[in-house]
């Protein structure tokens, strides 16, 4: 059974940085996409950054130039480096993996950016 476990969230002042990690356990026979989504209070969950099968990367316009998604295949881990954080980046950040038409989610990690 595939499991995704996020870590690295916390409280940071505006302008600061955080790095989120998502460790994947279990066997994955096909990886269609993997990345990060977030959900702010009272808002819908939205895409932040994602690797697409074939090697491309997509970012939300609101995080371009500030966030970087990367992966370490040897450790089965995906990272989200977040720089120049803003209060509007506050929310629960979820790791997600797409395989065979299914989306698997981690439990989420809270990121709070104070002004």
């Amino acid at each position: 059974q595939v499991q995704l476990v996020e870590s690295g969230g916390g409280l940071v002042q505006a302008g600061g940085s955080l790095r989120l990690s998502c460790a994947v356990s279990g066997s994955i026979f096909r990886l269609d996409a993997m990345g990060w989504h977030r959900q702010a209070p009272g808002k819908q969950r939205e895409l932040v950054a994602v690797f697409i099968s074939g090697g491309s990367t997509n970012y939300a316009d609101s995080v371009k130039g500030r966030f970087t998604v990367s992966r370490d295949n040897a450790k089965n881990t995906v990272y989200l480096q977040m720089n120049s954080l803003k209060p509007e980046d506050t929310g629960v950040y979820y790791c997600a993996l797409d395989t065979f038409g299914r989306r698997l989610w981690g439990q989420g990690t809270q990121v709070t950016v104070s002004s």
Side-chain angles (χ1 to χ4, degrees), residues 42-114:
K43 295 188 177 181
Q44 290 188 332
R45 196 171 297 188
E46 62 176 356
L47 173 73
V48 176
V50 63
F51 284 108
I52 304 295
S53 175
S56 64
T57 307
N58 290 339
Y59 291 91
D61 288 342
S62 60
V63 307
K64 285 180 181 177
R66 300 188 297 122
F67 290 12
T68 303
V69 62
S70 62
R71 58 188 174 185
D72 184 333
N73 292 331
K75 296 182 178 179
N76 288 333
T77 300
V78 174
Y79 303 97
L80 183 67
Q81 178 66 44
M82 305 185 294
N83 299 327
S84 301
L85 281 161
K86 304 176 181 180
E88 52 263 43
D89 294 318
T90 293
V92 180
Y93 283 68
Y94 297 91
C95 182
L97 182 156
D98 293 349
T99 180
F100 290 106
R102 295 172 57 212
R103 175 162 291 171
L104 307 177
W105 294 98
Q107 82 285 357
T109 185
Q110 176 71 42
V111 171
T112 303
V113 184
S114 63

